[in-house]
Amino acid sequence: MPLPFLTADRAFETADDVALPFDDRDRWRRPYRPGPWRVGLAALLLLLASFVLFAGVVIAFTAAPAEAGVCLVVALLAIAVALRMLRVGVWVSPRGLRRVGFLATRTTPWDRVAAVRTVQQPVRWLGLPRTVQGQALTLVLKERAARDSAPLMTTHNADFLGRSPAFDRAADTVEAWAAENRPG
């Protein structure tokens, strides 16, 4: 028995390639979705934070408020870590390319970018020291040599591990933004 109210086929059949009215190209946007590894780990951290918050409420009603405050601080820290993990990645806008890391964010204007290219090289597996052969999207700046460039994203990071077509689409999108917005 088909359940048409649960499908989204009707909404996408009539859509053309027209920009949506709320689609603002001047905002920073990530040209891909966060991967399942990143989302799963963030979900586990949020689940842990909910248990710690519940424990804090129980402790607040039965014991001293100082212990409940410690539980609240630990839960807020877990929530902040989970949200920051979801923000990590490559973001683009007409102003430049932004690489958001866990602790630092670097923004590079398009006029400093010499090239954005996909290369075959050894890449780190899920950010760990172990390297495997894979693809990396690299940013080459005008004032640096091409071999000194760090990868923006790889086929084996938390967003694209096991999802090579998604990496190809994201790399093509970032390269298209670079080609469109780079001067000259």
Side-chain angles (χ1 to χ4, degrees):
M1 169 172 90
L3 301 173
F5 58 89
L6 294 178
T7 64
D9 295 339
R10 294 184 315 268
F12 294 112
E13 287 176 359
T14 59
D16 296 328
D17 262 351
V18 180
L20 298 172
F22 56 84
D23 190 22
D24 185 12
R25 289 187 52 88
D26 290 335
R27 295 184 63 188
W28 289 99
R29 63 180 62 215
R30 182 181 2 214
Y32 57 91
R33 285 186 241 153
W37 289 89
R38 187 177 310 281
V39 172
L41 190 55
L44 285 175
L45 273 172
L46 291 173
L47 183 66
L48 175 70
S50 70
F51 286 133
V52 172
L53 280 173
F54 182 69
V57 169
V58 170
I59 290 172
F61 285 130
T62 61
E67 289 87 6
V70 170
C71 286
L72 177 68
V73 168
V74 169
L76 290 177
L77 183 66
I79 291 169
V81 166
L83 293 178
R84 186 63 183 180
M85 279 178 41
L86 292 174
R87 293 276 303 166
V88 169
V90 177
W91 297 73
V92 292
S93 83
R95 294 186 298 268
L97 187 135
R98 180 173 286 175
R99 183 174 189 230
V100 178
F102 188 74
L103 297 175
T105 300
R106 291 189 187 129
T107 303
T108 306
W110 289 118
D111 57 356
R112 290 186 51 215
V113 174
V116 177
R117 62 176 68 116
T118 305
V119 295
Q120 189 83 16
Q121 69 181 28
V123 296
R124 297 173 80 182
W125 184 77
L126 287 177
L128 298 172
R130 178 177 177 228
T131 60
V132 294
Q133 192 64 27
Q135 291 182 329
L137 183 71
T138 59
L139 174 69
V140 180
L141 299 177
K142 291 181 180 176
E143 61 268 4
R144 289 192 182 164
R147 66 181 184 282
D148 293 339
S149 61
L152 294 172
M153 56 188 178
T154 67
T155 53
H156 289 81
N157 69 3
D159 289 323
F160 301 110
L161 184 64
R163 299 175 49 217
S164 58
F167 173 80
D168 294 336
R169 283 191 307 271
D172 290 344
T173 304
V174 173
E175 288 172 358
W177 271 85
E180 180 181 328
N181 293 305
R182 230 180 12 209

